[in-house]
Amino acid sequence: MDRLQNGAQHLLSLVNHVISYAQLEREHVTLELGAVCVAELLAQVRMLISQRVAAKTQELLVDPCDPALAVRGDAEKLALVLLNLLVNATK
């Protein structure tokens, strides 16, 4: 049951990212600035890109960072930018 729920959350997250990316493309962007935990951001993006990386028989290595490390920005937009960079890297 947990696996199904995690899969549903993952799918919902992907849909939200696609919608946000489309908004970025149309330049209708509203930033929600706040503290963004870098470790959580990397974990989230790693989860989203892991299947693509595995399908391409590639490997994504992420060095651990201090859990207290944070940046100020829009967490969703930062995730989109990082995800886009990684998708491009797997091509």
Side-chain angles (χ1 to χ4, degrees):
M1 186 61 128
D2 285 338
R3 189 173 178 179
L4 182 60
Q5 188 173 16
N6 287 341
Q9 286 290 70
H10 178 69
L11 184 58
L12 179 60
S13 178
L14 288 174
V15 169
N16 286 333
H17 283 301
V18 168
I19 291 168
S20 293
Y21 190 76
Q23 290 173 337
L24 282 174
E25 290 285 314
R26 290 191 319 243
E27 299 180 19
H28 294 5
V29 179
T30 302
L31 297 177
E32 295 181 25
L33 299 178
V36 179
C37 175
V38 174
E40 289 176 15
L41 175 68
L42 293 174
Q44 175 190 10
V45 172
R46 184 177 196 168
M47 183 185 72
L48 292 172
I49 195 77
S50 63
Q51 288 182 342
R52 181 182 179 96
V53 170
K56 300 262 186 182
T57 61
Q58 297 172 336
E59 186 177 13
L60 175 62
L61 300 175
V62 180
D63 289 333
C65 65
D66 184 343
L69 180 63
V71 295
R72 182 166 168 77
D74 184 313
E76 186 175 314
K77 305 305 183 290
L78 287 171
L80 281 173
V81 169
L82 186 54
L83 183 60
N84 188 39
L85 289 170
L86 290 172
V87 166
N88 287 340
T90 61
K91 289 182 179 178

